[in-house]
Amino acid sequence: VQLVESGGGSVQAGGSLRLSCAAPGYTYDTYCMGWFRQAPGKEREGLATIDRDGDAAYADSMKGRFTISRDNAKNTLYLQMNSLKPEDTAMYYCTAAAGRWCGLARGCYTYWGQGTQVTVS
């Protein structure tokens, strides 16, 4: 399963970005999809996750600023990020799991994208 992220970039504090992750054709393998991020020197952390039924979960620190969504027809995942802060600077990864709910359990996910860099200054 190939997950292709896009939408990262550089933004000033307070700005917004929308990340996308495309996985065309892999409907079973992408039952549960999520976004993680990893800053230099830190562990990869879960941000938000959503299944094909639209049930979503967020890390407590992301609630209110980040919104996850997906378009099942396009098998594309999104992450709308608002009020960005310098501490949001990281590589952002899309991930997917087949046929089960994974929540924010990193080890549950099977497929990972290459990541897209977000830099907030």
Side-chain angles (χ1 to χ4, degrees):
V1 176
Q2 185 176 13
L3 304 176
V4 181
E5 302 108 329
S6 61
S10 297
V11 64
Q12 291 187 340
S16 299
L17 283 173
R18 187 192 194 204
L19 305 183
S20 298
C21 172
Y26 298 105
T27 54
Y28 174 77
D29 295 304
T30 56
Y31 174 79
C32 188
M33 298 185 76
W35 290 100
F36 283 66
R37 72 183 181 188
Q38 188 167 18
K42 295 187 177 181
E43 292 191 358
R44 192 169 297 190
E45 64 170 332
L47 304 176
T49 182
I50 188 169
D51 65 18
R52 290 189 64 83
D53 298 322
D55 294 323
Y58 294 88
D60 288 341
S61 58
M62 300 301 132
K63 290 180 180 178
R65 292 197 302 128
F66 291 6
T67 302
I68 193 170
S69 61
R70 65 187 291 169
D71 183 334
N72 288 335
K74 298 179 180 179
N75 217 34
T76 300
L77 179 72
Y78 304 98
L79 184 69
Q80 178 67 44
M81 305 187 295
N82 298 326
S83 302
L84 285 163
K85 306 173 183 179
E87 50 263 44
D88 293 318
T89 295
M91 186 71 78
Y92 284 68
Y93 295 92
C94 172
T95 187
R100 63 190 180 275
W101 171 256
C102 279
L104 296 176
R106 176 182 170 184
C108 183
Y109 290 93
T110 305
Y111 309 108
W112 293 86
Q114 293 299 307
T116 185
Q117 178 68 37
V118 172
T119 302
V120 185
S121 59

